[in-house]
Amino acid sequence: MNISKKCQKAKPIFDPERQMIEEKLPEIGRIPDGCWIVGGSIKYIYLDIYSDTYWVKFKCENGGKFVILKDNRHEFSDYKQMSIEETIAHEKERLEKYYDFCVNRLVDFIKSHPDYIYIRSHSGGKDSNLMRSVWLDAEQRLDFPPKGEWIFYNTTNETADVYKDIKAMGIRIINPDKPWRKWLEGNNYMFPTVVRRSCCTTYKEGAGKKQFDHNKPICMVMGIRNTESIKRSQYEFYMDYKFDVLHLGSSNLPKKWSKLAPIIECETVDVWLLTLLKEIHINRRYKLGSMRVGCVICPFSSNYADEITKTHYKEQWRWFAEAITKNYNNYNSAALGWSLQEWISGAWKRMESKNHSIAHRKPTPENIKLLADIKGISEDMAKKYFGATCGTCGKRCNEVEVAMFYKVFGRFEGVEDHRKPLCVKCFCAQTGISTHDYWVKAKEFSEEGCPLF
């Protein structure tokens, strides 16, 4: 029996999370013990990690409303669920083999590099906890203590649960020059977004380079894994400055520094299985339902994660609501079409207009009608904004490019129309106007009140 590919990123559902889901979705009744969960704002509950079919699929919408998208419970009337205890027993030999491989590989490396200064970075999360377990077991097999220390980069945007665990492990906390809230205030409440995440550069990578001597053989030991992101899929067990330049194009490391990733190949589900098998401590945030432990206010957090913050970390959510309200007012976010409540509920993360956001969804009748109502145009016209691509180069067109094309070349509503809009570059090439004049004209049309814009 093999673990389903659909469950490779699954997390066990602990009692606090189970109770929250049951309260939000009373129609599903009691969730069986030992279930696993996968996903962000859209969640899939599996009875165990060997099933290719989910038990229930639901969505957490902006604002925290839970909605069932698909109910497969009727398909499991005769299904024999494998408990978590049975799962661990079934996977134990494979897990122990991988764990020993990680420990032995680390022992061999440290023995080969006794002069390195090993700076072990801990985030308070499950990957760091597993990496720490591997490191401590490796130390037991060495006849000398490796140089270095455990550290925690304090973003000041963590929960009390993280700080409590870090202090309990006796890890040195590296505090920033300026707390995150003060940093935001100094930047006129310009929050980070999914495309502009300077907070990580300031509070993690930048903080590390300030702490340690660039001319010493520092080896940063981290609990990073290949399956966490596309970028990290290129990472290896050992990475030095040359590796970064060759494989990643550049390096943010001093030339004498390197990185070590003791659990680099581990799948998310195996991190959890090893955590349970080895009885490694689990941060409370995971038990509440979080898939990750890190900054509590983050543009990459899902609606589901925001609901956990809103429910269990009320003071931090209250501060956020006040701060993002200042952001909304300072940067005239109302001009993007969002209400203040929509902004607080997640629109702030992408900094895009409401129309743009809707037009990038599926062209369902509901979404088409929503866009038509917001813009004050016909549903026939609204359809043309969904999935619009340039008729010349094929580039995805934004809202203004779609509006400019149909404003200048005609709407052709109610008749068969196979035309495609033009991106700004192709529009200018075809009409002979400059890009400057293009944007001036688009602004004029918008200020005149043309609903296409």
Side-chain angles (χ1 to χ4, degrees):
M1 186 180 294
N2 296 320
I3 296 175
S4 168
K5 290 183 178 180
K6 296 177 181 179
C7 292
Q8 294 293 339
K9 294 183 181 296
K11 178 187 77 67
I13 298 179
F14 299 98
D15 280 346
E17 181 178 18
R18 178 180 57 77
Q19 292 167 10
M20 178 187 73
I21 298 172
E22 290 172 353
E23 289 172 3
K24 295 283 187 177
L25 294 173
E27 59 269 40
I28 69 171
R30 194 182 190 285
I31 299 171
D33 293 335
C35 287
W36 296 72
I37 193 165
V38 182
S41 292
I42 295 179
K43 294 289 189 182
Y44 303 80
I45 296 177
Y46 289 86
L47 290 184
D48 56 42
I49 58 175
Y50 302 107
S51 174
D52 286 325
T53 304
Y54 54 81
W55 189 67
V56 166
K57 173 184 176 182
F58 68 93
K59 179 182 182 181
C60 179
E61 298 180 338
N62 283 350
K65 182 181 178 181
F66 282 42
V67 179
I68 290 181
L69 300 178
K70 181 71 173 177
D71 187 345
N72 290 329
R73 288 179 295 166
H74 62 281
E75 297 184 23
F76 291 89
S77 57
D78 298 323
Y79 186 82
K80 186 181 184 306
Q81 180 190 20
M82 185 173 283
S83 69
I84 289 183
E85 292 75 19
E86 290 171 329
T87 300
I88 294 171
H90 181 71
E91 301 291 337
K92 183 176 180 180
E93 183 178 350
R94 179 183 65 84
L95 294 169
E96 292 281 19
K97 184 177 180 181
Y98 175 70
Y99 187 86
D100 286 344
F101 164 77
C102 291
V103 172
N104 291 330
R105 176 174 57 179
L106 186 56
V107 169
D108 291 342
F109 184 88
I110 296 172
K111 285 181 177 179
S112 300
H113 301 83
D115 295 328
Y116 275 17
I117 301 170
Y118 295 94
I119 305 301
R120 286 91 71 184
S121 177
H122 202 301
S123 69
K126 67 184 189 309
D127 298 339
S128 291
N129 278 336
L130 177 58
M131 183 272 286
R132 186 170 186 267
S133 178
V134 168
W135 180 276
L136 294 178
D137 281 349
E139 279 190 339
Q140 297 299 313
R141 303 183 192 182
L142 294 168
D143 54 9
F144 66 94
K147 290 179 287 187
E149 62 176 322
W150 289 94
I151 60 167
F152 169 76
Y153 295 119
N154 182 16
T155 65
T156 69
N157 185 20
E158 312 279 348
T159 66
D161 296 305
V162 171
Y163 295 122
K164 179 181 176 182
D165 284 0
I166 291 298
K167 290 177 180 178
M169 289 183 280
I171 294 173
R172 180 163 77 96
I173 298 175
I174 295 178
N175 293 308
D177 296 331
K178 183 181 292 186
W180 188 66
R181 294 185 183 185
K182 288 291 184 182
W183 177 73
L184 272 178
E185 185 180 333
N187 283 287
N188 199 27
Y189 291 95
M190 174 61 78
F191 270 70
T193 68
V194 294
V195 295
R196 180 181 49 79
R197 202 170 41 143
S198 55
C199 48
C200 285
T201 303
T202 302
Y203 286 94
K204 292 182 180 178
E205 293 92 338
K209 284 188 283 189
K210 289 179 181 179
Q211 286 293 318
F212 305 104
D213 193 333
H214 291 196
N215 295 312
K216 290 185 177 180
I218 301 289
C219 186
M220 308 298 292
V221 186
M222 301 171 287
I224 53 178
R225 299 180 295 107
N226 288 143
T227 58
E228 290 182 283
S229 66
I230 294 175
K231 181 179 180 181
R232 290 186 177 181
S233 66
Q234 303 176 71
Y235 288 8
E236 294 181 1
F237 169 68
Y238 176 70
M239 297 163 284
D240 57 9
Y241 180 86
K242 291 180 180 178
F243 175 92
D244 283 359
V245 173
L246 180 62
H247 295 279
L248 307 177
S250 62
S251 179
N252 59 5
L253 289 177
K255 290 187 176 181
K256 289 191 176 183
W257 287 21
S258 57
K259 295 173 288 190
L260 205 58
I263 60 168
I264 187 66
E265 312 90 352
C266 201
E267 291 281 359
T268 301
V269 68
D270 285 343
V271 172
W272 280 111
L273 290 171
L274 279 165
T275 295
L276 296 170
L277 173 65
K278 299 291 184 180
E279 298 182 344
I280 298 171
H281 175 74
I282 299 171
N283 188 286
R284 177 173 170 266
R285 280 189 69 184
Y286 293 118
K287 295 182 178 181
L288 297 176
S290 295
M291 300 298 284
R292 51 172 289 279
V293 167
C295 291
V296 67
I297 306 299
C298 177
F300 285 91
S301 64
S302 65
N303 297 332
Y304 189 82
D306 288 346
E307 191 62 19
I308 293 169
T309 302
K310 193 186 309 181
T311 303
H312 296 286
Y313 303 102
K314 296 183 185 297
E315 189 282 327
Q316 284 170 294
W317 186 263
R318 179 198 57 76
W319 172 87
F320 160 73
E322 293 176 358
I324 204 66
T325 298
K326 293 177 181 178
N327 168 277
Y328 181 85
N329 294 328
N330 290 351
Y331 298 99
N332 191 27
S333 300
L336 296 174
W338 302 102
S339 69
L340 173 58
Q341 191 53 52
E342 288 173 326
W343 197 249
I344 293 172
S345 294
W348 65 276
K349 297 174 184 179
R350 302 197 68 87
M351 283 291 289
E352 62 186 11
S353 72
K354 187 172 184 177
N355 295 343
H356 179 83
S357 174
I358 295 170
H360 276 69
R361 302 173 189 172
K362 291 182 179 179
T364 62
E366 293 77 15
N367 286 334
I368 291 170
K369 185 178 187 308
L370 180 59
L371 183 62
D373 290 346
I374 290 174
K375 294 182 74 65
I377 57 178
S378 70
E379 291 184 27
D380 183 55
M381 188 67 229
K383 289 179 186 177
K384 298 177 181 181
Y385 285 82
F386 288 84
T389 55
C390 178
T392 299
C393 70
K395 171 183 171 288
R396 184 71 179 262
C397 290
N398 61 37
E399 180 189 3
V400 174
E401 290 169 328
V402 174
M404 275 292 284
F405 177 83
Y406 290 108
K407 176 68 175 178
V408 173
F409 295 104
R411 300 190 188 189
F412 290 19
E413 294 182 74
V415 299
E416 192 172 354
D417 183 12
H418 297 293
R419 297 174 303 162
K420 287 188 173 183
L422 297 172
C423 70
V424 57
K425 182 179 179 181
C426 295
F427 184 104
C428 292
Q430 183 167 317
T431 59
I433 68 170
S434 67
T435 54
H436 175 267
D437 290 342
Y438 177 97
W439 293 112
V440 167
K441 203 64 185 173
K443 184 178 180 181
E444 288 178 4
F445 289 145
S446 178
E447 291 176 344
E448 289 170 1
C450 176
L452 291 176
F453 294 82

